[in-house]
Amino acid sequence: DETELLPIALFNANDFSFLITTASDDSLKMDFNLRTVGVRDARDNGSKFIELLVPASDSGSGPQQDNHFCYQWISNPKKREMIIKWDSPRITFCPVVYPIFNFFTTKLMSGDLPPEMIESIAALDDDSHEDVDDEDENKLALKPEEPAAPPAPPPPELVLRLSIQNFEIVMPEQWDNEQSRGVVFKSNFLMYLSSKLNTSVWRMFFEDFRISSCILREASSTSVRIIKPIDLSINYDATVTTVNWAVMMDPVQIILSYRDLKTLVAIKNCMAPPPPSATTPPPATVTTTTVSSRQLTVAPPPPPPPQQQSMTVTSRGLRMTLLDDTQGLDI
């Protein structure tokens, strides 16, 4: 009898395009665009009120816009560059993220290699390590030395540019309650990452970063700020001998109430991973196959040079206000 398969999540994408361009100098350019992408909980007992991924809106009940997604890959002999741009995504975290994650990882992370594959790998290894007698070794020793190979070219520079504009991250207090409260993170995000030979640079910038709590279905009329908008930048520079971190931020103003604390505790309980079900198969036993080979004596690599590390955090101030909203008094 065939068993009906129940869906976990529903993905949808509208108006997408894909383009690849190559040239005779081994350069390549790839573009992928999506006008709108969305994800919703499709389980029978899933949330009917929460969309996991939708375009963000200027207000909680305002009209939604497109969450345009653009991926670009540029490759040439000197540089590999990845550019990702995403406009106005609204991402909601709820327990369905666990079965979605398991859907993509369980099969890949569990189970052994087929026995015939292990045997074929062992056979190839045995063939490549045949015993060499003394006469063959003498012939190899008398063989004239080959000219040194030319030095290899330096590895290409790796660059990542990531831009996410007007994003929202929503964490509900109760994922199955239409009137649930929650915490909303909003910001614009820019990131630049470059890796050359022995040098790495990382830049990350949050613009207009803010946190608020609200009733999710009535965000525009019930939103209360927990952290007022600030700009935050994180810089990372690394070489063979130095690693430097620098964090800079605007004055931080935090307003926290008793109701906000209860909401944060409820979010922590809501996002707890579900207990393993009785039907979940036990983890697969890993089988290790040992293949004999000749032992080679290799000199240990020289110790790396000493590396100096530093971290600098700069802020123009911090102000925290605690509200006793049970009696309407400021602490």
Side-chain angles (χ1 to χ4, degrees), residues 232 246-250 312-317:
L232 169 67
V247 180
M248 294 172 285
M249 67 184 74
D250 289 341
T312 304
V313 179
T314 305
S315 176
R316 295 170 54 190

Side-chain angles (χ1 to χ4, degrees), residues 219-246:
S220 59
S221 59
T222 62
S223 178
V224 177
R225 287 179 177 174
I226 298 177
I227 295 182
K228 293 186 176 182
I230 62 171
D231 293 343
L232 169 67
S233 65
I234 302 174
N235 299 327
Y236 170 84
D237 297 272
T239 64
V240 177
T241 57
T242 60
V243 174
N244 298 320
W245 288 89

Side-chain angles (χ1 to χ4, degrees), residues 18-279:
F18 183 71
L19 174 67
I20 294 182
T21 306
T22 60
S24 58
D25 61 349
D26 293 334
S27 63
L28 180 144
K29 183 178 180 181
M30 181 171 60
D31 290 274
F32 178 76
N33 291 273
L34 276 172
R35 182 175 64 86
T36 305
V37 57
V39 183
R40 70 177 179 86
D41 192 348
R43 301 173 301 169
D44 289 341
N45 61 343
S47 173
K48 303 300 186 294
F49 319 108
I50 294 178
E51 299 284 343
L52 304 180
L53 173 59
V54 294
S57 59
D58 295 334
S59 61
S61 58
Q64 292 181 341
Q65 53 191 339
D66 295 339
N67 57 354
H68 181 258
F69 177 84
C70 175
Y71 171 86
Q72 189 176 72
W73 171 258
I74 302 173
S75 173
N76 57 57
K78 295 183 178 181
K79 192 175 184 180
R80 307 284 191 271
E81 184 171 4
M82 180 187 301
I83 303 173
I84 300 175
K85 297 180 181 180
W86 201 0
D87 294 335
S88 304
R90 178 184 175 94
I91 303 172
T92 302
F93 286 92
C94 61
V96 73
V97 299
Y98 295 107
I100 294 176
F101 179 79
N102 292 335
F103 177 83
F104 289 102
T105 59
T106 301
K107 279 293 184 182
L108 297 177
M109 302 300 294
S110 65
D112 300 331
L113 290 175
E116 58 272 12
M117 184 178 294
I118 296 178
E119 294 175 0
S120 61
I121 294 175
L124 289 175
D125 192 85
D126 289 339
D127 294 340
S128 61
H129 295 88
E130 295 179 353
D131 294 336
V132 180
D133 56 20
D134 296 339
E135 183 178 354
D136 292 336
E137 290 183 352
N138 293 334
K139 291 179 181 179
L140 293 175
L142 296 176
K143 185 177 180 180
E145 295 184 359
E146 296 181 357
E157 179 185 6
L158 302 178
V159 176
L160 170 63
R161 302 178 190 271
L162 175 61
S163 172
I164 307 178
Q165 298 297 317
N166 189 31
F167 78 83
E168 298 181 12
I169 296 179
V170 181
M171 306 191 74
E173 183 181 49
Q174 297 175 325
W175 61 270
D176 55 352
N177 184 355
E178 187 174 7
Q179 296 298 319
S180 171
R181 300 188 60 85
V183 173
V184 181
F185 301 78
K186 296 183 180 182
S187 182
N188 299 316
F189 177 74
L190 298 172
M191 188 179 76
Y192 171 81
L193 176 63
S194 174
S195 178
K196 297 181 182 179
L197 184 63
N198 299 327
T199 304
S200 296
V201 175
W202 182 30
R203 302 285 184 264
M204 189 163 57
F205 182 65
F206 291 89
E207 180 186 29
D208 198 22
F209 175 80
R210 56 203 185 275
I211 302 176
S212 60
S213 65
C214 62
I215 298 176
L216 297 180
R217 302 287 288 187
E218 303 173 5
S220 59
S221 59
T222 62
S223 178
V224 177
R225 287 179 177 174
I226 298 177
I227 295 182
K228 293 186 176 182
I230 62 171
D231 293 343
L232 169 67
S233 65
I234 302 174
N235 299 327
Y236 170 84
D237 297 272
T239 64
V240 177
T241 57
T242 60
V243 174
N244 298 320
W245 288 89
V247 180
M248 294 172 285
M249 67 184 74
D250 289 341
V252 181
Q253 301 183 53
I254 303 175
I255 303 175
L256 198 61
S257 67
Y258 177 72
R259 182 176 56 188
D260 295 332
L261 292 176
K262 290 181 61 178
T263 299
L264 293 175
V265 172
I267 290 173
K268 176 180 177 296
N269 297 331
C270 175
M271 290 304 300
S277 60
T279 59

